[in-house]
Amino acid sequence: MIYFDKVTKKYGKGSTAVEDITLSIGPKEFVSIVGQSGAGKTTLLRMLLGEEVPTEGSVFFESTCVNELPQGELHSYRKRMGTVSQDFRLIDNKTAYENIAFAMEAAGRTDAEIASDVPYILDLVGLGDKGDHFPNELSGGERQRAAIGRAIINQPDVIIADEPTGNLDPINTNEIMQILEKINELGTTVILTTHNKGVVDAVGRRVITMEKGRVVRDDKQGRYIL
Amino acid sequence: MFFTSLKRIFKSGITSFFRNSFISFATVLIMTVTLLIIGSVMFMSAMLTSVLDQVRDKVDVNVYFVVDAPEIEILEFKDQVEDLPEVSYVTYTNREDALVQFRERHKDDQLTLQALDELGENPLGASLAIKAVEPSQYESIASFLDTDPVLGAEGTTIIDDVNYLQNKIVIERLNTITDAVERIGVLLALVFVIASIIIAFNTIRLAIYTAREEIKVMRLVGASNMYVRGPFIVEGILYGISATLITLIFFYPVTFYFAEYTEAWLGGVNLFEYYTTHFGLIFISLLATGVFLGVVSSFLAVQKYLKS
């Protein structure tokens, strides 16, 4: 489903973020990518989203070479991805309802679909009574739930979660992870990057360990080892 | 689908305009200043044109005829002059009217009137006041009058005098001054308009800079470029409309207040009257400028983040 083929990403003055990475991720997998800050985890995800272009190698999503997609087709490709990040990345001047609805509008869904699906998703992520709240009126955990709601509303093939629990307390971390596991059980591939050993160990699924831009371990039922 | 997207884009733009009230207020304020400058330039241009027209209107070439010149020959000559392409219009004053006007002009000068009465007959000849299309064309009209002397039945010229030479220096100086004033006016107007447009453009860019993260998020969730750009362009249109309305409302009392001064100082140019009679033109000009500025600035500012 996802294939990184000898991917290297270098920034100006020879700084290498990712070096010669080859790995594949299959459908319905739950993959945790771990490593210290600067190990290249986020760069890997940004290349998968088409936000960065590899210096060498190619990133494939099914038969699509992501780094060769023209700018005008990236938005269609991204509709197949749901993203969740550490800083939530909600639109500040839209309510939780509107943030989730925006992803549906961008995907060209009808008003009737939006009116029926958004309340359902808000309930699913535990924000049924906070749909009309703006991001600054929500706690960190609630914002992350809204972000997850937005990520899953269009039933994407893949959820990319970049440090989704980085700003959350243990209780919210646990709840967010439960939601992500539930989404995976329903058939969506989840790619998670995290520093949180407890999270990785609790999930007990595939773990890819990165160090200085390279993959140093790839364990099917791994643990956080650094 | 297109209309649904359009409806959502408009709704989103309008909502953002009101929710980001502080940024909208600041942007509209700057754009209002821009439109005030552009509107003021329009007013000044109109007043300048009017004043210059009045000054030009005071210039003419007068042809004075001998006292015994037959009226029919004068009128024939008038027709010839009117046929010249350089001539705008010709005013004929017959001997009797010339006398009436003379008496009126000197009604407080008893000595002159007394001398006139003692003469016992009308000493004034008829005259033609020739108005050129452009002040620079008086020279060619004068040369026509010089080279084509009008002869009466006795073979002598019926023209007594042409006052072009006396007026020549004044006319030339006036032409130089009016041209210079017009050029300086256009240059100043351009400087003000360009400077204010740049300020408004940068203000909108700054407003969109604050939304750069929002643009990134929109792209990340798969919104097309049109869908990302659309609401910002709608906001740009709203900035333009709001600024135009504020400017028009502001101009109403201001032109009313200054009307009497402009009328007194600028030879009858009533600013308020100009504003009300040209309201449609001013409204369309300001609205078009405001909306164009809003749309183009928003488009270019968002484009930067869509490329990155």
Side-chain angles (χ1 to χ4, degrees):
Chain A
M1 184 185 194
I2 295 166
Y3 184 56
F4 289 87
D5 184 20
K6 294 175 186 167
V7 171
T8 296
K9 177 66 187 179
K10 287 180 181 171
Y11 292 104
K13 295 185 180 174
S15 152
T16 306
V18 167
E19 193 166 8
D20 196 29
I21 285 186
T22 297
L23 64 87
S24 62
I25 296 168
K28 301 179 185 177
E29 268 199 272
F30 192 119
V31 181
S32 301
I33 303 175
V34 301
Q36 292 173 336
S37 293
K41 309 181 296 288
T42 301
T43 304
L44 209 62
L45 298 187
R46 286 172 64 84
M47 286 192 284
L48 178 59
L49 279 166
E51 286 191 294
E52 298 277 3
V53 179
T55 312
E56 289 168 31
S58 300
V59 181
F60 290 93
F61 179 77
E62 295 177 342
S63 59
T64 306
C65 182
V66 179
N67 42 297
E68 286 179 2
L69 275 175
Q71 196 74 20
E73 288 177 27
L74 271 176
H75 71 92
S76 300
Y77 163 72
R78 285 179 184 150
K79 284 173 193 165
R80 302 181 66 183
M81 310 269 162
T83 57
V84 183
S85 64
Q86 184 177 0
D87 52 1
F88 321 123
R89 300 187 83 169
L90 295 170
I91 299 171
D92 289 336
N93 68 2
K94 291 188 189 293
T95 63
Y97 181 101
E98 288 166 345
N99 263 284
I100 296 171
F102 181 79
M104 291 188 80
E105 290 175 2
R109 309 279 287 276
T110 64
D111 288 347
E113 285 174 315
I114 292 170
S116 76
D117 290 5
V118 176
Y120 169 75
I121 290 293
L122 279 169
D123 277 337
L124 192 76
V125 295
L127 291 177
D129 58 341
K130 297 203 167 166
D132 59 349
H133 284 48
F134 288 94
N136 64 358
E137 296 166 340
L138 298 170
S139 69
E142 287 167 339
R143 287 186 216 181
Q144 198 58 290
R145 288 157 194 254
I148 290 175
R150 183 183 62 191
I152 62 175
I153 190 81
N154 287 324
Q155 295 147 0
D157 300 312
V158 182
I159 292 283
I160 295 171
D162 188 13
E163 310 267 8
T165 59
N167 281 335
L168 302 181
D169 58 50
I171 294 171
N172 274 309
T173 295
N174 189 37
E175 286 176 0
I176 294 298
M177 287 313 298
Q178 281 177 6
I179 295 172
L180 287 175
E181 284 182 283
K182 194 171 170 184
I183 292 165
N184 178 243
E185 281 166 21
L186 294 170
T188 304
T189 303
V190 175
I191 303 174
L192 167 80
T193 70
T194 183
H195 286 298
N196 193 321
K197 183 179 188 311
V199 164
V200 177
D201 291 349
V203 172
R205 306 283 289 275
R206 184 180 172 189
V207 179
I208 295 169
T209 308
M210 290 184 72
E211 206 175 285
K212 293 178 183 170
R214 289 176 170 273
V215 173
V216 292
R217 291 179 70 96
D218 189 349
D219 304 309
K220 272 203 166 177
Q221 284 190 320
R223 297 176 70 79
Y224 191 106
I225 302 168
L226 269 176
Chain B
M1 193 61 230
F2 175 75
F3 288 105
T4 307
S5 293
L6 208 61
K7 185 191 82 184
R8 287 172 180 169
I9 283 170
F10 268 89
K11 190 179 167 197
S12 175
I14 292 166
T15 308
S16 283
F17 178 80
F18 288 106
R19 281 185 185 166
N20 300 327
S21 51
F22 181 74
I23 289 173
S24 299
F25 173 74
T27 311
V28 167
L29 201 67
I30 296 291
M31 197 176 264
T32 302
V33 173
T34 301
L35 295 184
L36 282 173
I37 290 171
I38 292 171
S40 303
V41 165
M42 285 174 77
F43 285 129
M44 280 191 249
S45 164
M47 285 190 290
L48 188 68
T49 306
S50 174
V51 169
L52 292 180
D53 283 348
Q54 283 177 41
V55 172
R56 284 178 185 134
D57 209 41
K58 288 188 178 9
V59 175
D60 57 11
V61 167
N62 291 292
V63 179
Y64 298 100
F65 295 93
V66 292
V67 177
D68 54 355
E71 188 165 35
I72 188 157
E73 287 177 19
I74 294 172
L75 291 175
E76 272 174 25
F77 178 66
K78 177 176 175 271
D79 291 342
Q80 285 175 37
V81 173
E82 277 175 336
D83 287 342
L84 292 174
E86 297 93 342
V87 171
S88 171
Y89 62 92
V90 180
T91 312
Y92 170 60
T93 307
N94 63 25
R95 294 185 65 210
E96 290 70 32
D97 288 343
L99 185 64
V100 170
Q101 285 170 14
F102 184 87
R103 281 186 181 281
E104 177 62 27
R105 253 198 327 272
H106 296 87
K107 64 183 176 192
D108 299 325
D109 185 356
Q110 284 306 315
L111 203 63
T112 304
L113 292 178
Q114 205 174 345
L116 191 66
D117 289 339
E118 280 172 14
L119 273 175
E121 62 178 31
N122 182 0
L124 301 174
S127 68
L128 292 179
I130 305 168
K131 195 70 75 179
V133 178
E134 290 293 328
S136 58
Q137 292 167 328
Y138 282 113
E139 182 128 26
S140 66
I141 295 171
S143 73
F144 166 81
L145 298 174
D146 263 358
T147 55
D148 195 12
V150 188
L151 300 176
E154 295 163 9
T156 53
T157 179
I158 60 168
I159 293 179
D160 182 31
D161 188 25
V162 178
N163 72 347
Y164 174 70
L165 282 178
Q166 293 96 303
N167 285 357
K168 189 181 175 192
I169 295 170
V170 178
I171 290 172
E172 281 175 354
R173 192 164 292 169
L174 187 74
N175 282 341
T176 312
I177 291 170
T178 52
D179 285 352
V181 168
E182 265 179 350
R183 278 185 200 152
I184 292 168
V186 168
L187 197 72
L188 277 178
L190 270 178
V191 169
F192 278 122
V193 168
I194 290 171
S196 54
I197 282 174
I198 289 171
I199 291 168
F201 176 70
N202 279 319
T203 308
I204 292 176
R205 279 181 62 189
L206 210 61
I208 289 175
Y209 175 79
T210 63
R212 64 196 185 285
E213 276 306 313
E214 186 178 327
I215 293 171
K216 281 185 194 167
V217 174
M218 287 173 164
R219 294 181 70 200
L220 206 60
V221 299
S224 66
N225 285 355
M226 185 196 90
Y227 210 78
V228 175
R229 194 187 282 127
F232 290 102
I233 289 178
V234 171
E235 279 187 78
I237 292 170
L238 291 176
Y239 295 148
I241 293 172
S242 311
T244 302
L245 293 177
I246 294 171
T247 306
L248 290 172
I249 292 168
F250 181 82
F251 272 142
Y252 194 87
V254 170
T255 53
F256 185 79
Y257 176 77
F258 282 109
E260 61 176 299
Y261 297 105
T262 58
E263 198 163 19
W265 297 339
L266 302 173
V269 183
N270 187 311
L271 196 62
F272 183 70
E273 197 179 294
Y274 178 82
Y275 179 54
T276 49
T277 52
H278 293 79
F279 185 81
L281 174 76
I282 295 167
F283 174 74
I284 297 289
S285 304
L286 293 183
L287 187 68
T289 309
V291 170
F292 177 79
L293 256 181
V295 169
V296 171
S297 310
S298 302
F299 183 90
L300 294 177
V302 176
Q303 189 71 5
K304 183 181 168 189
Y305 300 110
L306 289 178
K307 278 183 181 169
S308 62

